[in-house]
Amino acid sequence: MADQVTLTAEPRAGSGRSEARRLRRVGRVPAVAYGSGLDATPVSVDGLELYHALRTDAGLNALIRLDIEGDVHLTLARELQRHPVRREILHVDFVAVDRDRTVTVDVPIHLQGHAQGADEGGVVDQVQFTAAVEVLPLEVPDQLTLNISDMQLGEVKRLGDRALPDGVTLLDDPDSTVVSVSAPAMESLPEDQAAAEADADVTER
Protein backbone atom coordinates (compact mmCIF):
# COMPACT_ATOMS: atom_id res chain seq x y z
CA MET A 1 0.00 0.00 0.00
CA ALA A 2 1.28 3.44 -0.89
CA ASP A 3 2.71 5.55 1.90
CA GLN A 4 0.91 8.74 2.92
CA VAL A 5 2.85 11.86 3.78
CA THR A 6 1.65 15.35 4.62
CA LEU A 7 3.04 18.34 2.76
CA THR A 8 2.15 21.96 3.43
CA ALA A 9 1.65 24.16 0.37
CA GLU A 10 1.48 27.92 0.21
CA PRO A 11 -0.55 29.73 -2.48
CA ARG A 12 1.61 31.60 -4.98
CA ALA A 13 0.87 35.28 -5.28
CA GLY A 14 2.68 35.72 -8.57
CA SER A 15 3.59 33.71 -11.64
CA GLY A 16 6.19 33.60 -14.38
CA ARG A 17 9.90 32.88 -14.43
CA SER A 18 10.95 35.67 -12.07
CA GLU A 19 8.58 34.46 -9.38
CA ALA A 20 9.72 30.86 -9.90
CA ARG A 21 13.37 31.87 -9.55
CA ARG A 22 12.59 33.85 -6.41
CA LEU A 23 10.91 30.82 -4.83
CA ARG A 24 13.78 28.50 -5.73
CA ARG A 25 16.31 30.88 -4.20
CA VAL A 26 14.57 30.48 -0.82
CA GLY A 27 14.35 26.70 -1.12
CA ARG A 28 10.79 26.38 -2.39
CA VAL A 29 9.49 24.52 -5.44
CA PRO A 30 6.82 26.13 -7.64
CA ALA A 31 3.87 23.82 -8.24
CA VAL A 32 0.27 23.66 -9.34
CA ALA A 33 -2.44 21.59 -7.66
CA TYR A 34 -5.55 20.44 -9.48
CA GLY A 35 -7.82 17.45 -9.96
CA SER A 36 -10.72 15.85 -8.12
CA GLY A 37 -12.56 18.57 -6.18
CA LEU A 38 -9.78 21.10 -6.72
CA ASP A 39 -9.52 23.89 -9.28
CA ALA A 40 -6.07 24.61 -10.67
CA THR A 41 -4.23 26.40 -7.85
CA PRO A 42 -0.65 27.76 -8.14
CA VAL A 43 1.26 26.85 -4.96
CA SER A 44 4.78 26.29 -3.69
CA VAL A 45 6.21 23.68 -1.32
CA ASP A 46 9.40 23.37 0.68
CA GLY A 47 12.02 21.68 -1.52
CA LEU A 48 13.53 19.54 1.25
CA GLU A 49 10.13 18.38 2.47
CA LEU A 50 9.17 17.43 -1.09
CA TYR A 51 12.44 15.51 -1.47
CA HIS A 52 11.71 13.45 1.64
CA ALA A 53 8.06 12.95 0.64
CA LEU A 54 9.18 11.25 -2.57
CA ARG A 55 11.92 9.16 -0.90
CA THR A 56 9.63 6.66 0.84
CA ASP A 57 9.33 3.07 -0.42
CA ALA A 58 6.44 4.23 -2.61
CA GLY A 59 8.66 6.70 -4.50
CA LEU A 60 6.70 8.80 -6.97
CA ASN A 61 3.54 6.88 -6.08
CA ALA A 62 3.53 8.18 -2.52
CA LEU A 63 0.16 9.62 -1.57
CA ILE A 64 0.67 13.22 -0.52
CA ARG A 65 -1.85 14.86 1.77
CA LEU A 66 -1.42 18.38 0.42
CA ASP A 67 -2.44 21.00 2.96
CA ILE A 68 -3.37 24.29 1.29
CA GLU A 69 -4.26 26.74 4.06
CA GLY A 70 -6.02 24.03 6.07
CA ASP A 71 -7.77 22.48 3.07
CA VAL A 72 -6.28 18.98 2.69
CA HIS A 73 -6.34 17.05 -0.59
CA LEU A 74 -5.09 13.54 -1.34
CA THR A 75 -2.66 13.95 -4.26
CA LEU A 76 -0.03 12.27 -6.39
CA ALA A 77 3.08 14.12 -7.59
CA ARG A 78 3.19 14.15 -11.38
CA GLU A 79 4.92 15.97 -14.28
CA LEU A 80 8.13 16.57 -12.35
CA GLN A 81 10.54 18.95 -14.07
CA ARG A 82 14.18 18.53 -12.99
CA HIS A 83 17.36 20.51 -13.47
CA PRO A 84 19.32 18.76 -16.26
CA VAL A 85 22.53 18.60 -14.23
CA ARG A 86 21.71 18.87 -10.53
CA ARG A 87 18.47 16.81 -10.93
CA GLU A 88 16.72 18.93 -8.32
CA ILE A 89 12.98 19.38 -8.83
CA LEU A 90 12.13 22.67 -10.53
CA HIS A 91 8.36 22.27 -10.79
CA VAL A 92 5.74 19.66 -9.94
CA ASP A 93 2.03 19.06 -10.48
CA PHE A 94 -0.02 17.75 -7.57
CA VAL A 95 -2.99 15.83 -8.96
CA ALA A 96 -5.83 15.47 -6.46
CA VAL A 97 -7.41 12.00 -6.48
CA ASP A 98 -10.59 10.45 -5.11
CA ARG A 99 -9.82 7.56 -2.77
CA ASP A 100 -12.83 5.68 -4.16
CA ARG A 101 -11.84 5.98 -7.83
CA THR A 102 -9.02 4.05 -9.48
CA VAL A 103 -5.89 5.75 -10.75
CA THR A 104 -3.29 4.72 -13.32
CA VAL A 105 0.26 4.43 -11.97
CA ASP A 106 3.59 2.91 -13.01
CA VAL A 107 4.77 0.44 -10.37
CA PRO A 108 8.45 -0.62 -10.18
CA ILE A 109 9.28 -4.27 -10.94
CA HIS A 110 11.76 -5.87 -8.53
CA LEU A 111 13.55 -9.12 -9.36
CA GLN A 112 13.88 -11.57 -6.48
CA GLY A 113 16.23 -14.53 -6.17
CA HIS A 114 19.17 -15.86 -8.17
CA ALA A 115 18.45 -17.40 -11.57
CA GLN A 116 19.69 -20.99 -11.89
CA GLY A 117 20.72 -20.27 -15.47
CA ALA A 118 23.21 -17.69 -14.24
CA ASP A 119 25.24 -20.50 -12.65
CA GLU A 120 25.64 -21.97 -16.15
CA GLY A 121 27.07 -18.72 -17.48
CA GLY A 122 23.77 -17.18 -18.46
CA VAL A 123 23.27 -13.42 -18.44
CA VAL A 124 20.23 -12.07 -16.58
CA ASP A 125 18.82 -9.13 -18.51
CA GLN A 126 15.89 -7.10 -17.15
CA VAL A 127 14.29 -5.16 -19.99
CA GLN A 128 11.14 -3.81 -18.32
CA PHE A 129 11.37 -1.99 -15.01
CA THR A 130 7.82 -0.73 -14.42
CA ALA A 131 4.29 -1.92 -15.08
CA ALA A 132 1.29 0.31 -15.70
CA VAL A 133 -1.61 -0.71 -13.47
CA GLU A 134 -5.03 0.57 -12.46
CA VAL A 135 -5.78 0.53 -8.74
CA LEU A 136 -7.45 2.50 -5.95
CA PRO A 137 -5.14 5.22 -4.58
CA LEU A 138 -4.90 3.69 -1.11
CA GLU A 139 -4.02 0.27 -2.55
CA VAL A 140 -1.13 1.21 -4.83
CA PRO A 141 1.63 -1.39 -4.27
CA ASP A 142 5.15 -0.11 -3.63
CA GLN A 143 6.52 -2.62 -6.14
CA LEU A 144 5.77 -5.83 -8.00
CA THR A 145 8.18 -8.65 -7.12
CA LEU A 146 9.06 -11.25 -9.76
CA ASN A 147 10.86 -14.37 -8.54
CA ILE A 148 13.53 -15.54 -11.01
CA SER A 149 15.04 -18.35 -8.92
CA ASP A 150 13.65 -21.07 -11.20
CA MET A 151 14.79 -19.50 -14.48
CA GLN A 152 17.00 -21.68 -16.65
CA LEU A 153 19.29 -20.74 -19.53
CA GLY A 154 17.22 -19.50 -22.48
CA GLU A 155 14.07 -18.77 -20.48
CA VAL A 156 12.12 -15.53 -20.21
CA LYS A 157 9.52 -14.24 -17.78
CA ARG A 158 6.69 -11.96 -18.85
CA LEU A 159 4.42 -9.52 -17.08
CA GLY A 160 1.60 -12.05 -17.08
CA ASP A 161 3.75 -14.56 -15.16
CA ARG A 162 3.35 -12.51 -12.01
CA ALA A 163 0.02 -12.74 -10.16
CA LEU A 164 -1.16 -9.28 -9.17
CA PRO A 165 -2.58 -8.33 -5.76
CA ASP A 166 -6.35 -8.17 -5.42
CA GLY A 167 -7.78 -4.98 -6.88
CA VAL A 168 -4.79 -4.33 -9.17
CA THR A 169 -5.43 -4.47 -12.93
CA LEU A 170 -2.53 -4.74 -15.38
CA LEU A 171 -2.73 -2.25 -18.26
CA ASP A 172 0.45 -3.26 -20.10
CA ASP A 173 0.63 -6.24 -22.45
CA PRO A 174 0.90 -9.38 -20.27
CA ASP A 175 3.13 -10.96 -22.95
CA SER A 176 5.75 -8.22 -22.57
CA THR A 177 9.11 -9.69 -21.58
CA VAL A 178 10.37 -8.50 -18.21
CA VAL A 179 13.57 -10.54 -17.85
CA SER A 180 15.53 -13.14 -19.79
CA VAL A 181 18.43 -15.48 -19.08
CA SER A 182 20.51 -15.78 -22.23
CA ALA A 183 23.82 -17.36 -23.18
CA PRO A 184 26.72 -14.91 -23.24
CA ALA A 185 27.62 -13.63 -26.71
CA MET A 186 30.65 -15.28 -28.28
CA GLU A 187 33.51 -12.87 -28.80
CA SER A 188 34.41 -12.63 -32.49
CA LEU A 189 38.04 -12.42 -33.49
CA PRO A 190 39.31 -9.34 -35.30
CA GLU A 191 39.45 -9.92 -39.07
CA ASP A 192 43.27 -9.82 -39.20
CA GLN A 193 43.59 -12.33 -36.37
CA ALA A 194 40.94 -14.63 -37.86
CA ALA A 195 42.70 -14.54 -41.26
CA ALA A 196 46.08 -15.27 -39.68
CA GLU A 197 44.70 -18.27 -37.79
CA ALA A 198 43.06 -19.55 -40.96
CA ASP A 199 46.41 -19.25 -42.85
CA ALA A 200 48.19 -21.05 -40.05
CA ASP A 201 45.64 -23.85 -40.17
CA VAL A 202 46.16 -24.26 -43.93
CA THR A 203 49.97 -24.27 -43.51
CA GLU A 204 49.80 -26.97 -40.85
CA ARG A 205 47.87 -29.18 -43.25
Side-chain angles (χ1 to χ4, degrees):
M1 181 180 295
D3 295 333
Q4 290 190 51
V5 293
T6 299
L7 195 60
T8 300
E10 297 178 359
R12 276 192 284 153
S15 61
R17 293 183 178 179
S18 59
E19 173 66 6
R21 286 195 293 266
R22 185 192 68 79
L23 288 169
R24 294 181 189 121
R25 281 198 298 269
V26 295
R28 300 193 67 79
V29 176
V32 60
Y34 57 88
S36 178
L38 178 62
D39 293 333
T41 305
V43 297
S44 70
V45 296
D46 183 87
L48 186 58
E49 290 181 2
L50 176 62
Y51 172 83
H52 288 301
L54 300 178
R55 294 288 291 181
T56 68
D57 290 339
L60 292 178
N61 291 329
L63 284 171
I64 297 175
R65 300 179 72 254
L66 193 68
D67 186 336
I68 308 174
E69 297 185 311
D71 192 9
V72 179
H73 299 269
L74 196 63
T75 69
L76 292 168
R78 292 293 181 261
E79 302 297 330
L80 274 71
Q81 298 176 19
R82 295 182 181 272
H83 189 281
V85 178
R86 299 192 296 271
R87 304 304 298 163
E88 63 191 31
I89 299 174
L90 301 178
H91 189 278
V92 60
D93 288 6
F94 292 106
V95 181
V97 298
D98 185 335
R99 66 183 61 211
D100 297 319
R101 297 182 63 180
T102 58
V103 295
T104 298
V105 295
D106 290 329
V107 178
I109 300 173
H110 172 70
L111 302 184
Q112 183 181 63
H114 176 76
Q116 296 178 20
D119 293 332
E120 301 172 22
V123 177
V124 177
D125 183 22
Q126 183 175 0
V127 296
Q128 185 158 346
F129 295 87
T130 63
V133 302
E134 187 176 72
V135 61
L136 289 172
L138 297 180
E139 302 299 328
V140 176
D142 291 343
Q143 62 184 18
L144 299 177
T145 302
L146 186 63
N147 195 315
I148 64 171
S149 300
D150 60 346
M151 291 186 69
Q152 304 292 336
L153 197 63
E155 290 187 340
V156 301
K157 283 205 171 185
R158 298 176 169 83
L159 278 177
D161 294 332
R162 202 283 187 192
L164 296 178
D166 292 341
V168 179
T169 301
L170 180 66
L171 299 180
D172 285 336
D173 184 354
D175 290 329
S176 296
T177 296
V178 175
V179 59
S180 63
V181 181
S182 55
M186 297 294 292
E187 290 187 7
S188 59
L189 295 174
E191 290 185 8
D192 291 345
Q193 182 178 349
E197 291 188 3
D199 290 343
D201 183 54
V202 170
T203 302
E204 288 176 0
R205 291 182 182 182

